[in-house]
Amino acid sequence: MTIRTGRLTRTLAAVAAIGLCSAAAEARDIVWARYGDIDTLDPHKATSTLSLQTWSLIFDTLLATDKDGNPVPNMAESWTVNDAGTEYTFKLHDGITCHDGSPLDATDVKYTVDRAFDDADPSVTKASWGPITSAEVVDPLTVKLTLETPFVALVPFLADSFSSILCDSNEGAEGFGTTTAIGSGPWKLVSWTKGDKITLARNDDYTNFGKLAENKGAPYMDGLVITVVPEPQTRLAALKTGEVDIAEPPFDDVAMLKDSGELDIVVAENTGQNVFWEFAVHRPPFNDKRARQAVGHATDAAAAINLIYGDLSLPEACPVSRGVFGNDQDVCLEYRTNYDPEKARALLAELGYGPDKPLETAMLVWTGGNRQKLAEVFQAQLAEVGIKADIEMMDIGTMNARVRQENETAEGKGSMDMMTWSWYDPDILYALWHSPGAYRGYTTPELDAMLEKTRVLTDPDERKAAVQAVFKVLLEDGIHIPLYTPGWEWVFAVRPEVEGFHVAPFVYPVFNDVKIAED
Amino acid sequence: MWRFLGGRIAMGALTIFVTTIAVTLLIHLVPGDPVQIMYAQSQGTTPEQLEEIRHNLGLDQPIYIQYVRFVGRLFQGDLGYTIRGHQPVLDVILQRLPNTIALAVAAMAVAILIGLPIGFFAAYKRGTMVDTGLMVVAIAGVSVPHFWLGLVLLLFFAVELGWLPVSGTGPLNLVLPAVTLGLSNAAIVARMTRSSMMDIMRQDFVRTAEAKGLPKSVILSRHVLRAGLIPVITMMGLQFAFMMGGAIVVENIFAWNGVGRMAVEAIFQRDYPVIQGFILTFAVVVVFVSILLDGVYALVDPRIRRS
Amino acid sequence: MAELSGAVPDYDHEIVPPGRRAHFWRRVAFTPNGAFGLAVVIVLIASAGLADLITPYSPIKMGVGPRFLPPNGAYLLGTDEFGRDLFTRIVYGSRLTLMIGAIAVGISLTVGILVGLIAAYRGGWTETILMRGTDVLFSFTETLIALACVAVLGPSLKNAMIAVGIAGIPFYARTCYSAALVERSKPYFEATIAAGAGPLRLLFLHLLPNVLPTMIVVATLGLSAAILAAAGLSFLGLGAQPPDPEWGAMLSGARDYFNRAPYLMVIPGLAIAVTVLGFNLLGDAIRTALDPREGSE
């Protein structure tokens, strides 16, 4: 009864507010500008961060992450695993509803898992769900996932928006992913105009069980508009004029903005992002580990990052970044090919390269976030020791394809790339370096065995040792040379009247606590 | 007149026909395996699955079969699916096309409103310092890169003065891109108008009117302007195509949500179905507009109307 | 390349080849437009040729000076975000600009002349197919053709030059075709055929030398458009790649620093505008000197 009165009062207040001052009512939407658009609202059909961030607003997940990146209960209030590690049983909270009013229960979870494994049209991230063989509805609030083999990375995966739970009312809906997307997250989809903006409205029935927000109910603001503004300077101008409340600023203006206090700067932590060098290893020159090590020794990541990002990003020594299981800077720095141009020159000389015969390579870099500038600095650093790198800028999806293609090409100029992955668990190294390898790159039977071990060890200390053994191989042989973290879409400039905006681990912005002070 | 228009329509049909062949070939000219490029994002696609996709897309068929299938689907309004996000290409394009057309039309209006009077005035003052001065200005106008002009206008009017919104797609947002695109084309319109007017001025009927002692202003407004505008109209079709082309760059500066920005993004993403769809749409729009303008031309020009 | 650039060579002017007309260049150089154009082109060629002598710095080495230093005595046009000397980059950029213009126009011109000549000489179906094809391409506008080429070839400076070159073909083919038709209708041509000259001989020894002067004039006019178009592609990131000091790419890269260093954006833009203006004015002066209608009023 009290709840009802509350809602009625709120509604009346809202009506009155609209009646009195429509401009004020309009200003209640949060406007968040990003450099690009999402690919789709269907969580099984894309991998971009821009898409993921949006799914996390519309859909909810079984588990969530705490501020350190560890999985905690969310829609699932608890879960159990059998001793063999092959059966996971999740107990759902009662009373969760989808945006269309239908209850969210075990059948929706089963629908989502079955859809991800649909033979005709599987999820693009199917492999990350692990070796699931079936999803079974035990009772309306209990669901059991059965695996072929143990897979410890399943739990963190279910806290990530790749595993967004879709309501089964989406089944067969025309325009799912484009015009409709029914979830149980804090925001409901109103509309998506491709290339321009996504309009969301508050989900009044939302209850926050485990997400990182102080607010345990529905968001405070009425709506959230996510707009596309590609140019950093334009985003800054829009922030200043108040057209936009939250956006990524141009990096070079951050110091000035901080000093003037004109805008607040929020930097995401525990992003899990890892930016690293990797190479086409099946042909010269990078089939020889000395060539890869030379690149490692020629690269002064700390200086380059400082030049381009100031103190907004950090050099990273491990193949999985800070905040991810197994990361230890001291351990990794011992194995990593650190900056030492003399060593680089010596290695190149051993290989027969010299001032008159530079080592030539392509350097693939993905677009956005000032990475072109960063690549130019690396290019200049490599030139110092006699490596001539030609920068090629491309979209991340294209780069994934190119890297694989380069690994499958037996001849031609060398190829290296500034690759990146963001993951919540060292299991990403299995995806990257276990044969056949995500990009058909470096694999050996020994490394395969080591990686397999990291998947099944349930004792944290044992697993940590196994993970760090993998680091050693990757770092010493120059297979995966970590550069820095975080690396993309992690800096937010926020207008001063916006309160309560923060970013959860793995760069998920949270708007549940946001309040915008009236002028 | 119908024969004239019939010829134009046939030419337009030919253009679209050639375009369909070109876009079918496009995907085969790409270095590397298009299927692999398209599906690289998907985790764990096996070679067998890639073969399956290739088969579903018909890429394992001889090229003429592929072409026939492509055209067949085209007639059903099916341009395929985007690689990023698996959306129908036609939807993605149709959502943005009106914005590009609005920009092109607005820019054309700017170009004509500025270019036509200047060209006319220069022809009127032909051979004088005013004429020379105006034409130098026009040359300067075509020399300024519009990607630069656009940035300068954006920074000045939107960022510094705050008179216009800096981002987004709405009526007020149209002003700066339309002016940017229109200004550089105004110079071309001015030069075309001037030379067309001067051609007319040399013709016998104008000379006769001059000999009769009619005032220069009457001759210009009554005889020269009407006759001189006809060739200008014929050039408008090409101008419109230029505007559509120019929109590709200008949309990217102003984040105008049109097909040009979409196309550049698609190139970076190697989203070939989108690029194919864009080229086809571009051809269809340009052909349609030029036939429309040919119709206007046929109505205005008495020689064609009578034939 | 009109649309990327906004510049379009006039095709409504009748162009009479310079032939052996005396004092032609004097007539060009003594008009204000021609003089300015020539001056720009000479400065451009000099800076391209003598870049190593003009400036002591390297155009690509980072940290030759502090970052973001506004124009001053030591660094005439200031330094960029990597502490490179902007003046040096602009000077070396003129090399790229000239090379881009020459190669792109070279491609358009060569293929355009071949298509135009063959169409005019063979007549019949060949003519119909070639010239209708040219019309179709022409209606696409050069931006779209360039964009499609880059989409197929991938973004790089080399590919941008090829793309701009291909995009220009329809224009040159049309111009060459009209010029060749005029030649073909002249009596001497019939006589040569009657004398039993072979097709290759006819094409390359009789038609070509007669259309070449016209085409060279047209190419001068087309240079500015090609330069602008390539700069536009580089601006979009589809042309020159770092560390090449290409003006369009420099301008594009400077967008991020507008607040801090507006000169980084203004100067490369001016360099493009002045260069293109120079070529346009020169071309205009040449055409005026050749157009029988101009100056007779």
Side-chain angles (χ1 to χ4, degrees):
Chain A
M1 201 58 218
T2 42
I3 295 171
R4 242 180 233 168
T5 326
R7 198 173 286 165
L8 183 66
T9 321
R10 217 161 47 196
T11 315
L12 281 175
V15 170
I18 292 164
L20 288 172
C21 179
S22 57
E26 212 177 315
R28 280 161 173 266
D29 283 348
I30 310 164
V31 182
W32 174 30
R34 305 190 297 179
Y35 80 93
D37 198 9
I38 60 170
D39 300 318
T40 169
L41 292 161
D42 179 347
H44 293 167
K45 290 286 169 280
T47 58
S48 71
T49 304
L50 295 171
S51 305
L52 267 168
Q53 290 176 336
T54 308
W55 304 336
S56 78
L57 302 170
I58 299 172
F59 301 102
D60 212 348
T61 42
L62 287 179
L63 310 178
T65 41
D66 66 10
K67 66 177 183 4
D68 301 316
N70 303 310
V72 294
N74 186 39
M75 287 205 295
E77 58 183 16
S78 63
W79 74 91
T80 54
V81 197
N82 70 350
D83 290 339
T86 52
E87 281 179 18
Y88 285 77
T89 310
F90 298 88
K91 186 90 188 140
L92 300 179
H93 278 284
D94 196 3
I96 305 175
T97 55
C98 293
H99 296 158
D100 63 344
S102 64
L104 187 135
D105 55 26
T107 55
D108 299 283
V109 179
K110 180 176 165 52
Y111 164 70
T112 304
V113 177
D114 288 349
R115 190 174 183 274
F117 284 85
D118 181 10
D119 278 337
D121 192 15
S123 164
V124 294
T125 47
K126 178 178 138 183
S128 304
W129 289 82
I132 294 180
T133 50
S134 77
E136 185 188 333
V137 177
V138 177
D139 65 58
L141 293 179
T142 312
V143 64
K144 186 166 88 181
L145 302 180
T146 308
L147 283 67
E148 200 180 320
T149 52
F151 178 59
V152 288
L154 176 66
V155 166
F157 179 73
L158 292 176
D160 197 84
S161 286
F162 278 122
S163 73
S164 293
I165 300 302
L166 318 177
C167 295
D168 56 11
S169 38
N170 289 308
E171 188 163 11
E174 193 165 325
F176 174 68
T178 314
T179 51
T180 80
I182 298 166
S184 57
W187 304 93
K188 296 192 242 194
L189 176 72
V190 176
S191 66
W192 171 27
T193 313
K194 285 182 204 80
D196 189 24
K197 65 180 174 197
I198 303 160
T199 307
L200 305 174
R202 172 178 57 210
N203 170 14
D204 286 319
D205 299 323
Y206 177 74
T207 308
N208 173 15
F209 295 107
K211 292 275 182 186
L212 263 182
E214 280 172 29
N215 178 4
K216 295 300 164 200
Y220 299 122
M221 303 303 289
D222 293 333
L224 171 58
V225 180
I226 308 172
T227 65
V228 179
V229 184
E231 285 296 319
Q233 287 294 338
T234 318
R235 285 197 297 272
L236 179 62
L239 275 166
K240 286 183 172 173
T241 59
E243 278 173 54
V244 164
D245 298 311
I246 299 166
E248 183 181 88
F251 299 106
D252 267 79
D253 291 299
V254 167
M256 184 198 73
L257 292 173
K258 262 186 183 163
D259 292 346
S260 71
E262 216 175 339
L263 296 167
D264 300 331
I265 301 292
V266 175
V267 180
E269 290 175 5
N270 289 339
T271 62
Q273 297 171 343
N274 194 274
V275 184
F276 56 94
W277 288 137
E278 56 150 8
F279 308 87
V281 292
H282 300 310
R283 66 167 190 266
F286 294 121
N287 57 351
D288 190 317
K289 76 174 174 191
R290 287 172 296 177
R292 306 195 293 263
Q293 289 163 334
V295 170
H297 287 308
T299 309
D300 185 355
I305 291 153
N306 186 44
L307 192 64
I308 304 299
Y309 299 128
D311 56 2
L312 295 169
S313 185
L314 288 169
E316 174 60 63
C318 291
V320 296
S321 294
R322 290 173 184 78
V324 180
F325 184 84
N327 177 293
D328 186 326
Q329 297 300 306
D330 294 333
V331 170
C332 294
L333 278 172
E334 221 177 285
Y335 306 138
R336 190 182 178 279
T337 49
N338 299 314
Y339 180 57
D340 187 345
E342 278 318 310
K343 230 180 202 166
R345 283 193 196 96
L347 285 165
L348 289 169
E350 264 180 53
L351 290 164
Y353 298 104
D356 303 323
K357 191 190 167 207
L359 186 157
E360 291 193 27
T361 176
M363 184 201 281
L364 314 183
V365 179
W366 89 105
T367 47
N370 254 19
R371 275 178 297 273
Q372 172 153 10
K373 303 280 182 200
L374 188 67
E376 281 194 68
V377 180
F378 285 137
Q379 183 183 45
Q381 290 176 353
L382 295 183
E384 286 291 315
V385 303
I387 298 171
K388 185 180 171 298
D390 294 325
I391 296 174
E392 291 184 46
M393 301 298 300
M394 56 194 77
D395 172 80
I396 184 73
T398 312
M399 195 169 96
N400 284 332
R402 252 301 280 283
V403 169
R404 184 165 156 178
Q405 197 183 320
E406 290 290 348
N407 271 320
E408 288 174 342
T409 309
E411 291 168 27
K413 192 168 80 167
S415 172
M416 58 187 280
D417 52 276
M418 201 199 274
M419 183 44 79
T420 175
W421 271 94
S422 158
W423 212 250
Y424 38 76
D425 188 272
D427 194 53
I428 182 62
L429 299 177
Y430 182 93
L432 288 172
W433 306 116
H434 186 279
S435 52
Y439 305 114
R440 306 294 184 265
Y442 182 92
T443 54
T444 60
E446 297 78 43
L447 186 58
D448 280 359
M450 294 167 79
L451 284 162
E452 278 154 23
K453 222 167 121 189
T454 68
R455 281 200 135 187
V456 293
L457 290 174
T458 43
D459 178 74
D461 289 335
E462 285 175 29
R463 185 169 187 235
K464 188 169 174 182
V467 166
Q468 290 183 347
V470 170
F471 288 176
K472 183 167 187 276
V473 175
L474 295 177
L475 292 169
E476 284 186 342
D477 288 353
I479 299 158
H480 179 139
I481 302 177
L483 297 170
Y484 64 101
T485 182
W488 63 98
E489 290 133 66
W490 78 103
V491 185
F492 299 82
V494 183
R495 280 185 68 80
E497 67 267 25
V498 177
E499 281 170 32
F501 171 76
H502 60 99
V503 186
F506 315 121
V507 233
Y508 288 109
V510 178
F511 298 90
N512 302 34
D513 293 338
V514 171
K515 288 178 183 168
I516 299 180
E518 303 280 338
D519 296 324
Chain B
M1 174 175 156
W2 293 114
R3 231 185 112 180
F4 165 80
L5 274 183
R8 289 307 159 124
I9 290 167
M11 187 64 208
L14 178 71
T15 304
I16 291 169
F17 171 67
V18 172
T19 313
T20 58
I21 294 178
V23 298
T24 318
L25 285 174
L26 180 94
I27 210 154
H28 291 272
L29 292 171
V30 176
D33 178 356
V35 173
Q36 206 172 83
I37 291 173
M38 287 180 194
Y39 289 89
Q41 303 192 76
S42 306
Q43 282 184 359
T45 21
T46 60
E48 296 77 44
Q49 277 168 322
L50 286 180
E51 260 333 291
E52 170 101 26
I53 292 163
R54 207 185 311 277
H55 179 73
N56 289 342
L57 289 173
L59 287 171
D60 53 350
Q61 302 275 343
I63 191 147
Y64 62 91
I65 304 239
Q66 287 186 39
Y67 176 72
V68 171
R69 285 170 61 157
F70 177 74
V71 173
R73 284 190 289 125
L74 212 57
F75 276 109
Q76 296 160 23
D78 180 2
L79 283 171
Y81 286 82
T82 64
I83 291 163
R84 297 292 297 262
H86 291 249
Q87 315 258 324
V89 171
L90 190 69
D91 288 4
V92 172
I93 288 176
L94 286 185
Q95 252 191 19
R96 291 176 169 97
L97 186 62
N99 293 334
T100 299
I101 292 178
L103 173 57
V105 170
M108 195 132 140
V110 172
I112 291 171
L113 283 177
I114 297 173
L116 206 78
I118 289 180
F120 186 66
F121 191 64
Y124 178 60
K125 293 273 184 192
R126 66 184 181 277
T128 67
M129 286 299 284
V130 177
D131 174 27
T132 315
L134 283 176
M135 283 306 107
V136 170
V137 170
I139 291 179
V142 295
S143 303
V144 175
H146 55 213
F147 44 88
W148 187 62
L149 179 67
L151 282 174
V152 172
L153 291 179
L154 176 78
L155 294 169
F156 191 68
F157 287 101
V159 178
E160 288 295 305
L161 297 176
W163 289 356
L164 293 160
V166 287
S167 65
T169 307
L172 264 184
N173 300 82
L174 183 57
V175 176
L176 285 179
V179 168
T180 303
L181 193 52
L183 272 184
S184 42
N185 284 278
I188 302 173
V189 173
R191 298 188 64 170
M192 268 163 28
T193 310
R194 175 179 174 271
S195 78
S196 165
M197 295 297 167
M198 303 229 317
D199 282 344
I200 302 296
M201 284 175 194
R202 278 191 215 100
Q203 290 191 3
D204 289 345
F205 75 97
V206 178
R207 298 253 154 114
T208 316
E210 272 170 358
K212 277 198 293 190
L214 282 174
K216 204 175 173 187
S217 58
V218 173
I219 298 173
L220 277 175
S221 57
R222 205 174 283 167
H223 301 286
V224 177
L225 188 58
R226 279 197 64 180
L229 279 183
I230 292 169
V232 175
I233 291 174
T234 59
M235 290 301 288
M236 288 301 163
L238 200 56
Q239 277 290 301
F240 185 81
F242 286 168
M243 297 289 179
M244 291 280 292
I248 296 171
V249 178
V250 172
E251 283 177 3
N252 275 283
I253 299 170
F254 293 96
W256 184 255
N257 189 25
V259 290
R261 206 182 99 202
M262 176 199 74
V264 172
E265 273 171 20
I267 289 178
F268 279 114
Q269 299 176 346
R270 300 287 196 283
D271 203 329
Y272 292 108
V274 175
I275 299 170
Q276 286 179 315
F278 168 73
I279 294 174
L280 260 178
T281 312
F282 192 99
V284 170
V285 170
V286 166
V287 162
F288 180 75
V289 170
S290 80
I291 289 174
L292 205 73
L293 283 169
D294 283 333
V296 174
Y297 171 59
L299 286 177
V300 175
D301 192 325
R303 285 165 301 185
I304 292 183
R305 196 171 47 201
R306 257 180 259 121
S307 69
Chain C
M1 234 12 350
E3 327 62 82
L4 274 179
S5 57
V8 59
D10 265 331
Y11 9 74
D12 56 327
H13 274 77
E14 187 183 329
I15 291 166
V16 177
R20 283 170 195 80
R21 215 186 279 207
H23 309 307
F24 166 75
W25 284 104
R26 194 181 292 171
R27 278 179 67 193
V28 171
F30 276 93
T31 59
N33 286 2
F36 180 83
L38 263 184
V40 168
V41 172
I42 288 168
V43 168
L44 200 68
I45 292 172
S47 87
L50 306 173
D52 315 70
L53 302 176
I54 295 173
T55 155
Y57 305 117
S58 151
I60 54 173
K61 197 172 159 55
M62 293 183 180
V64 300
R67 310 170 68 208
F68 298 117
L69 205 63
N72 63 77
Y75 307 97
L76 288 180
L77 299 176
T79 58
D80 71 1
E81 67 271 30
F82 299 123
R84 295 177 297 203
D85 179 41
L86 187 60
F87 175 71
T88 304
R89 285 177 68 75
I90 295 281
V91 167
Y92 278 88
S94 63
R95 252 183 212 181
L96 287 177
T97 301
L98 282 181
M99 181 183 80
I100 292 164
I103 292 180
V105 169
I107 293 172
S108 317
L109 196 62
T110 317
V111 182
I113 286 180
L114 274 179
V115 170
L117 282 186
I118 292 171
Y121 170 71
R122 293 283 303 226
W125 275 108
T126 319
E127 181 181 22
T128 313
I129 290 173
L130 284 178
M131 291 330 287
R132 287 305 103 170
T134 305
D135 285 348
V136 167
L137 280 179
F138 200 76
S139 71
F140 272 143
T141 80
E142 294 164 345
T143 312
L144 185 73
I145 300 173
L147 208 67
C149 292
V150 173
V152 170
L153 298 168
S156 80
L157 181 61
K158 186 184 87 194
N159 294 345
M161 290 190 287
I162 296 172
V164 172
I166 292 176
I169 292 171
F171 172 66
Y172 292 89
R174 272 189 168 190
T175 315
C176 177
Y177 171 70
S178 336
L181 274 189
V182 175
E183 286 304 316
R184 200 183 69 176
S185 64
K186 287 185 181 163
Y188 83 89
F189 196 76
E190 296 295 328
T192 323
I193 294 176
L200 281 181
R201 194 182 167 80
L202 278 171
L203 272 179
F204 291 106
L205 287 181
H206 295 282
L207 273 183
L208 183 62
N210 284 302
V211 297
L212 213 50
T214 310
M215 293 309 293
I216 287 170
V217 174
V218 173
T220 323
L221 298 171
L223 262 176
S224 62
I227 289 172
L228 256 182
L233 285 176
S234 293
F235 175 82
L236 290 176
L238 301 174
Q241 301 295 326
D244 283 346
E246 201 278 336
W247 296 340
M250 284 163 67
L251 169 53
S252 177
R255 281 183 291 180
D256 292 343
Y257 307 110
F258 162 71
N259 268 328
R260 202 163 167 176
Y263 61 92
L264 284 179
M265 212 186 83
V266 172
I267 292 167
L270 277 178
I272 300 172
V274 170
T275 301
V276 172
L277 180 64
F279 276 109
N280 274 338
L281 287 177
L282 180 64
D284 197 60
I286 293 176
R287 195 183 46 219
T288 311
L290 297 175
D291 190 338
R293 292 177 301 180
E294 293 279 345
S296 60
E297 299 278 330

